[in-house]
Structures are given as C-alpha cells and as structure tokens.
Amino acid sequence: MLTGELMKAVYPGSFDPITYGHLDIITRASRIVDELVVGILVNNTKRPMFTMDERLEMLRETVKDLHNVEVKTFEGMTIDFARQNGAKVIIRGLRVISDYETEMQIAQTNRSLDPEIETLFLSTGLEYSFLSSTIAKEVAFYNAGVEKLVPPIVARKFKEKYKKKIFKEDFSNG
Ligand code: ADP
C-alpha cells in the first residue's frame, strides 16, 4: 500500500438479521481501517427471513453513527465486491473453532483469486461468541429477551414478523 493511501475494507455477510455480534465486529473494524463497506450478499443459497430492503434498513439504522461505515448490497463473489470498492482487505469475524475451517477455506480461495486482497479476522467479543442470526431468530420466536442480542430496530422487526405469523396461524385455525 502506498503511503497516504486510504485503507479500505469490506465486511461481507448475510446479516439476516444483524446482531450485536456483527455490530461488535463492525465497530472494531471501523477503528482499524479508514473506510468500511458492509456488504449484504444478495444471492445467498440460504432462504432469508428478512428481505434485502429490510436487512439494508436495519443495518443502515444500526451503523448510522459510525461515520466511516457504509452499507451496500452485492451479488456474486466477495473478491469482486472488494475490487469494485477499491478495498484491499476483507473483514471476517471468528466466533468459535467450528467457524475456523470454513473461514480458512474461503480466505484461501479468495487469496488464490487475488493475492493483493487480504482477509483480516477479528475474534468476537466473548459475550457474543455464542451468538448467530439463527440463535437470535429462535430467541425472538419464543419471545425470550432478544433485546440483549440484536439492536432495537431488529427487535421491532422481529415482533412485526412473528405477530403476523401468529395472526395468520390464528386465522387458519379459526
Ligand atoms: P455468512 O452467511 O457469510 O456467514 P453472517 O451474516 O452469518 O454471514 O456472518 C458474517 C460474518 O460475521 C462472518 O464472518 C461471521 O463469522 C461473523 N459473525 C457472525 N456472528 C458473529 C458474532 N456473534 N461475533 C463475531 N462475528 C460474527
């Protein structure tokens, strides 16, 4: 990297939805790099609970006070998303050992595709090491205190989603 060049990074993921674990990584990465672009992956093979617009809205609202962070959506390969944004770094979060194997594979693949782009792993804060979007969805479903796991806008969206679902079920039963 040339002296004086800005260090830009991308942080890709599904963010279905964003949790405090993701936010922890975003906040810490934003202190390391000059500019951080959070990328929400469009063509994910997982069937998402939240639409792209909802995920975008939740992420943008959550990071609105972090001035060097922007949120975009992308399709295709992370490496292309990094290139398109002039980023030389890909940020990923590591929670537990089981994340390690897949994350390593992804990082090695990306490096073989473009050796100029480095993957930077940030270890999760201990208090979020158990947390995933899937866990948050489950806790929200059982109405068991999801506020501790996700930002307020996400907790509200969960309520709306599950209320609608319960409503529909009530309807079909009656
Ligand atoms: P993906 O489908 O690409 O794994 P996710 O939205 O689940 O997308 O995760 C995006 C990134 O955030 C991944 O690097 C993942 O390991 C990391 N991550 C997810 N949850 C946490 C957490 N609780 N703490 C730290 N990193 C996390």
Side-chain angles (χ1 to χ4, degrees):
M1 182 185 290
L2 299 172
T3 333
E5 201 182 324
L6 287 186
M7 184 171 164
K8 209 167 173 184
V10 291
Y11 176 41
S14 319
F15 304 105
D16 184 42
I18 179 174
T19 68
Y20 279 139
H22 294 128
L23 181 60
D24 177 50
I25 298 289
I26 294 172
T27 310
R28 284 159 52 207
S30 76
R31 294 190 198 123
I32 300 171
V33 302
D34 296 301
E35 284 174 41
L36 180 68
V37 183
V38 180
I40 314 177
L41 187 58
V42 176
N43 60 348
N44 208 318
T45 42
K46 302 170 196 165
R47 202 173 159 264
M49 172 175 192
F50 292 97
T51 65
M52 193 42 93
D53 284 347
E54 286 171 321
R55 282 183 273 163
L56 201 54
E57 182 194 354
M58 291 185 280
L59 255 158
R60 288 205 168 130
E61 166 67 25
T62 305
V63 303
K64 66 176 191 293
D65 295 328
L66 297 169
H67 298 296
N68 60 345
V69 178
E70 72 178 307
V71 186
K72 294 182 181 176
T73 63
F74 75 102
E75 264 177 274
M77 309 239 354
T78 301
I79 208 86
D80 292 327
F81 180 61
R83 285 193 193 123
Q84 280 152 18
N85 283 280
K88 291 266 185 265
V89 177
I90 297 169
I91 304 278
R92 294 290 285 176
L94 275 184
R95 282 163 294 189
V96 283
I97 285 290
S98 50
D99 278 348
Y100 184 87
E101 212 175 317
T102 4
E103 289 297 338
M104 255 323 159
Q105 277 179 337
I106 299 172
Q108 303 290 17
T109 308
N110 283 336
R111 198 135 68 96
S112 70
L113 295 173
D114 191 335
E116 297 280 302
I117 299 179
E118 288 289 348
T119 300
L120 182 65
F121 292 110
L122 294 183
S123 60
T124 176
L126 255 192
E127 66 272 45
Y128 304 123
S129 56
F130 68 94
L131 181 54
S132 64
S133 301
T134 309
I135 292 282
K137 281 174 207 163
E138 232 166 87
V139 172
F141 182 78
Y142 291 108
N143 202 4
V146 81
E147 291 76 10
K148 289 195 192 114
L149 310 182
V150 297
I153 182 169
V154 180
R156 280 202 304 280
K157 293 265 180 210
F158 266 135
K159 277 207 183 99
E160 286 165 21
K161 285 256 169 200
Y162 286 127
K163 214 191 298 169
K164 266 189 214 146
K165 196 163 180 285
I166 290 163
F167 231 41
K168 267 193 212 142
E169 278 167 7
D170 282 353
F171 239 46
S172 54
N173 286 341

